[in-house]
Amino acid sequence: MTTRRTVRLLIAILLVAAGFSSQRLLDRPPAEIVPELAGTTVPDGFVLVISVVDGDTIEIVDPATPDRTVRVRYIGVDTPETVHPSKPVQCFGEEASTYNHVLVDGLPVRLERDISDTDRYGRLLRYVYSEDGTFVNLELVRQGYATVVTYPPDVAHAAEFQAAQQEARDAGRGLWTACR
């Protein structure tokens, strides 16, 4: 883990411990959110992550309309619930959300589409890559923060995700040990 990620992980843990919720940012208009990240350089082909909703969903500045935000749901993975309106916080949900904060919150990411554009909730469906090239969807599975859930026709990385899940399960990483 890089020094930058280690610092971000410590900050995220402190924020979770203090009761911080990314929902607080989502309740505010995008025009108020974006200035908080003023000075963040977004390379061509990347978008800025405004907030992490949970372990497998983020909020970005809409590239087509910079004065609004859009939710992005990671393709092929599922993390334990933390913000579902009718479900309690699930085992390892807070940890998955915190790790997603470390990976992408406030940072530029590159989005890659599979076949479907959106899900039934209107969220963009994408594979997400950090600026350093980390394949975020895969990293969540590899480290045991997410399980593989594929919905055809969006299966371009399904075999890769399955192999990473088996490796995480065999190694007892994350939810594979914590949530028996």
Side-chain angles (χ1 to χ4, degrees):
M1 188 179 298
T2 66
T3 303
R4 181 177 178 183
R5 283 209 178 130
T6 302
V7 169
R8 292 180 62 76
L9 177 60
L10 291 173
I11 290 169
I13 290 168
L14 290 172
L15 291 172
V16 169
F20 171 81
S21 168
S22 58
Q23 191 62 39
R24 291 180 189 161
L25 284 178
L26 297 179
D27 291 339
R28 295 172 33 217
E32 292 179 17
I33 297 169
V34 175
E36 292 178 1
L37 300 171
T40 301
T41 305
V42 181
D44 287 343
F46 285 76
V47 295
L48 185 62
V49 175
I50 294 300
S51 67
V52 170
V53 177
D54 61 16
D56 53 32
T57 307
I58 56 176
E59 190 94 4
I60 63 165
V61 173
D62 185 345
T65 313
D67 65 337
R68 63 173 229 147
T69 62
V70 177
R71 284 200 175 179
V72 177
R73 173 68 165 80
Y74 297 170
I75 298 173
V77 303
D78 187 41
T79 60
E81 295 295 339
T82 58
V83 295
H84 195 283
S86 63
K87 293 182 182 178
V89 173
Q90 295 176 323
C91 179
F92 223 65
E94 291 293 341
E95 293 85 348
S97 183
T98 298
Y99 192 58
N100 199 20
H101 274 278
V102 171
L103 293 173
V104 300
D105 199 13
L107 300 174
V109 296
R110 183 174 59 82
L111 304 178
E112 184 179 288
R113 182 178 169 178
D114 200 332
I115 304 298
S116 304
D117 190 44
T118 59
D119 66 8
R120 64 183 176 178
Y121 304 107
R123 299 175 295 190
L124 292 178
L125 295 172
R126 297 294 187 268
Y127 299 110
V128 178
Y129 297 85
S130 65
E131 196 173 9
D132 70 4
T134 300
F135 185 5
V136 176
N137 310 49
L138 181 62
E139 185 68 11
L140 288 166
V141 174
R142 182 179 284 134
Q143 298 304 324
Y145 291 99
T147 58
V148 177
V149 178
T150 55
Y151 297 98
D154 301 306
V155 296
H157 294 280
E160 190 176 6
F161 292 162
Q162 286 293 345
Q165 178 173 278
Q166 189 60 52
E167 177 190 322
R169 177 181 258 164
D170 291 347
R173 284 190 210 114
L175 59 82
W176 298 111
T177 299
C179 304
R180 293 192 178 230

